[in-house]
Amino acid sequence: MADSASQAAAVIDPVLDFDLVSGRVSTASADAILAAADADGVRIVWVLETHPHADHLSAAAYIRDRTGAKVAIGAGVCEVQRTFGGLLGADDLKPDGGDFDRLLDDGDVLELGSLEIRVMATPGHTPACVSYVVGDAAFIGDTLFMPDYGTARCDFPGGDARQLYRSIHRILALPPDTRLFMCHDYKAPGRTEFAWETSVGVQRDRNVHVGGAVAEEAYVAMREARDATLSAPKLLYPAIQANIRGGRVPPADVNSDLR
Ligand SMILES: N[C@@H](CCC(=O)N[C@@H](CS)C(=O)NCC(=O)O)C(=O)O
Ligand SMILES: [Fe+2]
């Protein structure tokens, strides 16, 4: 996202490529973002995380190192750090979310040149989820997916289906022509092309999990039943190790020959 008046840009949820078999990262996708910013003549000043991702590594630290951009994430990341930090032996974590430049609360406003980015806390998928609203566009992380696929899972630690339902209804209360940009697209059965943009109005009418005014109790029962059938994401542990550190890969273990 960029402000055409000032050429200030923000990158939302950049990915650090990771090969699970070799355990190696690559910056091909992040380099493509940097190249696109160069080609457009814009300066990346923010890296905005919608949440600590559980299924891919973040390129936030890499983009910060390359551009000087500041990395922002919902303040709930501290809870995720507490949940996973001990389990993963992450003794190097800085206290109070210090691996990030800015911890965001509901209602915060970030400047992007002449644009204002409004932060909306939208927890439920994780306790740290936020959405970013800029003019008639909203980047909503893992809350709603495309209307034919539904909504995000709520069974990660600190996740909560009832909370997600309420967050989704805050998003659906935006004006109907608000453009919604998705985090993931898992292509609903029968659809072959990826999609990434829809609107509040279309989601209100047609989202297969919440559209047409599905009641909270019915949603929670559906979401919890579906979550009970889902496996853990393939990249859960490598993703969390990097993402609670703002996208830094963890230091080598003390017993590592590779130090
Ligand atoms: N199979 C995928 C699952 C990824 C996953 O769990 N995605 C989360 C968002 S981070 C979700 O909400 N998925 C909804 C679903 O699978 O229905 C993987 O292994 O990476
Ligand atoms: Fe997610």
Side-chain angles (χ1 to χ4, degrees):
M1 154 169 73
D3 170 39
S4 48
S6 64
Q7 272 74 50
V11 175
I12 300 159
D13 291 332
V15 170
L16 187 67
D17 304 304
F18 181 73
D19 178 59
L20 185 58
V21 176
S22 62
R24 299 193 84 85
V25 297
S26 123
T27 57
S29 297
D31 288 333
I33 295 172
L34 295 174
D38 272 352
D40 287 353
V42 299
R43 244 171 339 106
I44 300 172
V45 298
W46 286 111
V47 177
L48 305 177
E49 299 281 20
T50 57
H51 61 294
H53 306 282
D55 64 338
H56 61 269
L57 282 68
S58 165
Y62 177 70
I63 292 184
R64 172 171 54 189
D65 289 349
R66 294 287 306 274
T67 62
K70 303 264 183 249
V71 179
I73 194 166
V77 73
C78 297
E79 182 180 335
V80 178
Q81 289 180 322
R82 281 193 294 275
T83 304
F84 283 100
L87 177 73
L88 298 170
D91 303 331
D92 58 308
L93 279 181
K94 299 196 183 126
D96 303 324
D99 291 278
F100 299 87
D101 300 303
R102 177 89 185 253
L103 296 182
L104 302 169
D105 291 311
D106 190 54
D108 282 354
V109 175
L110 302 176
E111 268 179 33
L112 183 70
S114 64
L115 299 178
E116 284 193 341
I117 304 173
R118 199 154 50 83
V119 176
M120 204 192 256
T122 46
H125 171 62
T126 76
C129 288
V130 294
S131 295
Y132 298 100
V133 183
V134 190
D136 74 338
F139 299 83
I140 60 174
D142 289 349
T143 53
L144 295 157
F145 291 135
M146 289 304 285
D148 58 1
Y149 193 87
T151 60
R153 68 194 291 176
C154 296
D155 57 333
F156 296 155
D160 185 273
R162 194 171 298 281
Q163 207 175 34
L164 182 62
Y165 180 90
R166 293 176 186 181
S167 294
I168 284 172
H169 279 80
R170 290 191 68 198
I171 294 170
L172 294 180
L174 293 168
D177 56 355
T178 306
R179 295 178 294 150
L180 298 182
F181 292 93
M182 304 299 108
C183 230
H184 290 289
D185 182 38
Y186 296 114
K187 289 193 286 198
R191 179 153 59 81
T192 52
E193 300 297 317
F194 281 117
W196 51 88
E197 180 181 346
T198 177
S199 70
V200 164
V202 170
Q203 293 278 25
R204 277 188 208 164
D205 291 344
R206 288 195 234 141
N207 184 284
V208 291
H209 289 172
V210 294
V214 170
E216 183 170 307
E217 292 309 321
Y219 174 77
V220 171
M222 178 285 300
R223 190 65 262 175
E224 290 179 349
R226 181 175 157 80
D227 286 347
T229 70
L230 300 176
S231 328
K234 281 201 297 291
L235 298 188
L236 176 66
Y237 289 109
I240 293 289
Q241 285 187 59
N243 297 346
I244 60 173
R245 296 172 164 94
R248 280 188 298 117
V249 295
D253 279 343
V254 286
N255 62 354
S256 169
D257 290 340
L258 298 175
R259 274 184 303 149

